[in-house]
Amino acid sequence: MQNFLYTSDVFKGSRYGRGHPLDMDRVWPSVELVQMMGWIEEKQIVKHGPAEIEELIKFHDIDYVLALKEAEDKQTLPEKIKKKYNIGIGNNPIFSEVFSRPATAAKASISAIETIAAKKADRILNISGGTHHGRKSEAYGFCFLNDCVLSILKAIELGFQNILYVDIDAHHCDGVQDFFLDNKKVNIVSIHEKNRWPFTGLVDDCKIKNILNFPVSEKFNDEDINFLINQFIIPYFKINCPDLLIIQAGADMLCGDPQSRINLSNNAYWKAISDLLSLCNKSLILGGGGYNPYLTAKAWAGNWVVLNENIELLDMDMNRECHELLKSLKWKNSRVKNGIPIEWISSWRDKKENYEISDEIISLVNEIKEIKKYEI
Ligand SMILES: [Zn+2]
């Protein structure tokens, strides 16, 4: 069966605004890298418009959605409304596409589930999705809408019984966990940096049946994530395989990302996703965090070949066109004040290095096994 990549033109030229961590291009460069490498047929790229209000209010409050729409139309909101909904405050600015951009990302995730449920595709990549902090009636952590929650709700509506959501973003998926606590049809797994915003996702939450949280330190390495995925997560869910897998593939745990202290290589990142896909053929891979445009665009472009079980394509040399595209991306960050590190823009894979599983991860796994009364 054919797999698809969902995107939209709204992501080209839309910016969160100067000085914002998302003042960069990530979505369209990922798609263009895939095209430039010849890894996709044109008919596999599907473009979407924004979701209808009716689709968004399956999770979000209507007054909040209407305020977000008004923020886009008028490019401002009354102060009281801004405060009430956290729109136009701090890191959730009012920008030109403040409604249509997140609504388009949400539409793609909802539509992906409909397409998979209708057996018109097995696997879909929605790079623009993964806005896991969004609340019912509040913008939070750069997320105005929560496409993760909306896609899971759509999956439940369409009859999926055993949905597994795995989030490998450096930040905990608080918006998703909060909404699906104790839901018998959904399991939520998150690997994230501990003691980092939003400061949720504690091990203690594992006492709740459908929650598995792995808060990890800045020393978390390539072997550690491989161990968590292959020695815990996969065997844990293999007993009762999910009928739908959603992976939030935030790329902010990669070495060189400014929003986490974790230093994974993209080799470990892609292997983790590839291994997780063995749990379920029906899968949706989302984007998420990722605040280094070069590393993020490569990571997400690579997810397309991972989704298609062609991970070996990532051993190819990067062609000139891709190199030039990456080189042209603008990023205002001290990490590039002396130029863009050549390894970020000249090869697909990071250098392979050897690591050992850290004691910290072994004791974390033992602690969680104890809570879950789980033996492998
Ligand atoms: Zn993140």
Side-chain angles (χ1 to χ4, degrees):
M1 202 177 292
Q2 192 120 248
N3 298 326
F4 295 102
L5 191 162
Y6 283 5
T7 186
S8 161
D9 292 333
V10 75
F11 303 107
K12 199 157 191 171
S14 155
R15 294 291 187 98
Y16 269 53
R18 239 184 228 187
H20 192 280
L22 281 176
D23 180 19
M24 64 171 74
D25 292 318
R26 312 181 305 166
V27 174
W28 71 261
S30 310
V31 180
E32 289 196 9
L33 288 175
V34 171
Q35 291 176 296
M36 286 171 174
M37 288 299 288
W39 287 339
I40 195 161
E41 292 175 47
E42 281 307 307
K43 63 180 181 190
Q44 291 178 288
I45 300 176
V46 179
K47 292 191 174 174
H48 284 279
E52 300 294 331
I53 304 279
E54 294 69 43
E55 294 176 290
L56 298 173
I57 62 174
K58 301 266 175 172
F59 170 56
H60 296 282
D61 283 343
I62 187 157
D63 291 346
Y64 169 70
V65 174
L66 293 175
L68 191 61
K69 181 100 178 48
E70 187 184 331
E72 175 162 313
D73 294 343
K74 298 187 178 157
Q75 285 299 295
T76 187
L77 282 175
E79 282 308 311
K80 216 173 109 189
I81 303 294
K82 279 187 183 175
K83 273 203 187 115
K84 184 174 179 190
Y85 297 128
N86 204 24
I87 301 171
I89 296 177
N91 271 329
N92 307 304
I94 295 174
F95 58 99
S96 310
E97 303 82 13
V98 68
F99 171 79
S100 46
R101 181 176 161 144
T104 300
K107 177 71 180 183
S109 289
I110 295 165
S111 175
I113 299 299
E114 289 170 340
T115 305
I116 292 170
K119 300 190 168 55
K120 291 181 185 157
D122 282 326
R123 292 179 175 176
I124 293 175
L125 176 65
N126 173 22
I127 290 169
S128 64
T131 50
H132 57 179
H133 300 304
R135 304 300 172 97
K136 235 179 187 355
S137 52
E138 194 185 342
Y140 202 56
F142 321 156
C143 303
F144 293 91
L145 299 168
N146 195 321
D147 69 289
C148 310
V149 170
L150 287 163
S151 62
I152 297 171
L153 284 173
K154 176 55 74 176
I156 294 171
E157 182 190 319
L158 295 178
F160 287 97
Q161 297 291 320
N162 184 9
I163 301 152
L164 175 58
Y165 172 89
V166 182
D167 191 308
I168 58 167
D169 191 286
H171 304 88
H172 177 243
C173 52
D174 52 350
V176 187
Q177 174 175 310
D178 289 356
F179 189 70
F180 290 107
L181 279 181
D182 277 327
N183 190 306
K184 289 185 176 54
K185 294 184 178 175
V186 187
N187 280 290
I188 309 287
V189 180
S190 177
I191 303 172
H192 49 269
E193 187 178 346
K194 66 180 169 191
N195 303 322
R196 174 164 290 280
W197 190 92
F199 305 105
T200 51
L202 306 179
V203 172
D204 223 36
D205 298 344
C206 295
K207 289 175 184 159
I208 302 160
K209 202 165 183 288
N210 68 333
I211 305 296
L212 264 182
N213 276 328
F214 298 94
V216 297
S217 80
E218 60 194 75
K219 295 190 194 116
F220 190 56
N221 69 45
D222 284 11
E223 255 331 286
D224 290 337
I225 190 165
N226 186 41
F227 179 75
L228 283 190
I229 301 275
N230 284 292
Q231 301 299 319
F232 196 119
I233 296 170
I234 290 178
Y236 188 84
F237 289 102
K238 212 151 208 166
I239 298 164
N240 183 16
C241 265
D243 55 7
L244 178 70
L245 171 66
I246 299 176
I247 302 175
Q248 196 273 19
D252 42 9
M253 277 205 211
L254 295 179
C255 179
D257 192 285
Q259 298 287 333
S260 90
R261 286 179 288 263
I262 291 172
N263 292 310
L264 292 187
S265 76
N266 58 16
N267 303 308
Y269 169 87
W270 286 319
K271 183 173 189 312
I273 296 167
S274 173
D275 292 345
L276 283 168
L277 288 170
S278 70
L279 275 171
C280 185
N281 198 32
K282 297 201 178 306
S283 309
L284 168 61
I285 302 183
L286 305 170
Y291 304 93
N292 175 322
Y294 317 102
L295 304 180
T296 305
K298 283 199 299 184
W300 291 350
N303 284 348
W304 173 251
V305 297
V306 170
L307 172 134
N308 287 290
E309 296 184 17
N310 289 325
I311 194 168
E312 70 283 354
L313 291 177
L314 294 166
D315 298 326
M316 287 170 75
D317 288 338
M318 177 177 281
N319 65 27
R320 188 88 212 155
E321 244 184 318
C322 293
H323 169 68
E324 293 297 334
L325 168 66
L326 287 168
K327 205 166 87 178
S328 72
L329 298 178
K330 301 271 179 292
W331 192 34
K332 292 186 197 77
N333 190 280
S334 60
R335 285 167 176 78
V336 291
K337 70 173 185 295
N338 298 321
I340 309 164
I342 191 70
E343 61 274 19
W344 289 358
I345 56 171
S346 59
S347 64
W348 283 101
R349 286 190 176 275
D350 293 336
K351 213 163 77 198
K352 286 188 181 161
E353 287 181 46
N354 292 326
Y355 294 95
E356 287 190 3
I357 300 159
S358 59
D359 293 342
E360 184 188 309
I361 291 301
I362 295 182
S363 46
L364 175 67
V365 161
N366 287 337
E367 187 185 354
I368 296 175
K369 277 184 184 171
E370 185 67 29
I371 295 172
K372 293 288 188 193
K373 307 267 177 280
Y374 171 57
E375 281 175 33
I376 298 169

